[in-house]
Amino acid sequence: MYINTTQTHTCAFTRRLSALPPSFQLRMSKKVAQLTKVIYHLNSKNEDHDLDMQDLAEQYEAELELVLKDTTEKVNFFKLKLEEASDEKRVREVARGQTAYELPSFQGREADPELAKDFIACAGNMQKPLLQRVAQAGSQAL
């Protein structure tokens, strides 16, 4: 057989409380009301704190995403600049290599200053458009 002990304790408490003087009952009621208000205030404060912490966590996540995005953009920008610089360096090396490769073929012939000037001017003219294309590609990539 199941006996509800909560009801028996409550009933016993109520009987004992009714046996006390009315002024004591009034003070006890006021204390209970005061403690109820304190508990309500603490629960509300705890809920507010939880909401504030959740908002703070969301702001932190948003700021972290922003920093990561900014960092990724900067890294990609510098990677592109590095590739452009290495591409420009390769173009210069190729242009120098072609010049160095083609110059010995003239060395077997009689030295003709006019022909040498034309050759150097032609090599310089070939190098300028290549460097301009590299510069244009770099400015378009930005």
Side-chain angles (χ1 to χ4, degrees), residues 26-139:
L26 180 65
R27 284 189 295 176
M28 289 297 288
S29 295
K30 286 183 178 180
K31 281 293 180 186
V32 168
Q34 187 180 21
L35 289 173
T36 303
K37 286 180 182 178
V38 167
I39 290 171
Y40 176 77
H41 174 72
L42 290 174
N43 284 337
S44 297
K45 192 174 181 179
N46 189 29
E47 289 174 3
D48 290 344
H49 179 70
D50 288 344
L51 291 174
D52 288 344
M53 289 302 292
Q54 187 178 5
D55 287 344
L56 187 62
E58 289 172 3
Q59 288 175 0
Y60 172 75
E61 290 295 326
E63 185 177 346
L64 189 61
E65 286 178 23
L66 214 108
V67 167
L68 286 174
K69 182 181 175 185
D70 185 46
T71 304
T72 303
E73 288 176 0
K74 286 181 181 179
V75 166
N76 289 337
F77 173 76
F78 286 115
K79 275 185 182 179
L80 183 64
K81 285 292 189 184
L82 182 64
E83 288 174 4
E84 288 174 5
S86 64
D87 286 344
E88 190 174 312
K89 185 178 177 182
R90 285 187 205 134
V91 167
R92 287 184 183 150
E93 287 174 359
V94 168
R96 286 185 192 131
Q98 285 178 348
T99 306
Y101 175 74
E102 293 174 358
L103 271 178
S105 65
F106 284 108
Q107 290 175 350
R109 300 180 189 171
E110 288 184 27
D112 184 8
E114 190 72 29
L115 188 59
K117 281 183 185 178
D118 288 343
F119 177 76
I120 292 172
C122 181
N125 290 339
M126 289 172 42
Q127 187 177 9
K128 287 177 187 176
L130 286 174
L131 292 175
Q132 287 174 350
R133 285 185 186 173
V134 169
Q136 283 178 341
S139 65

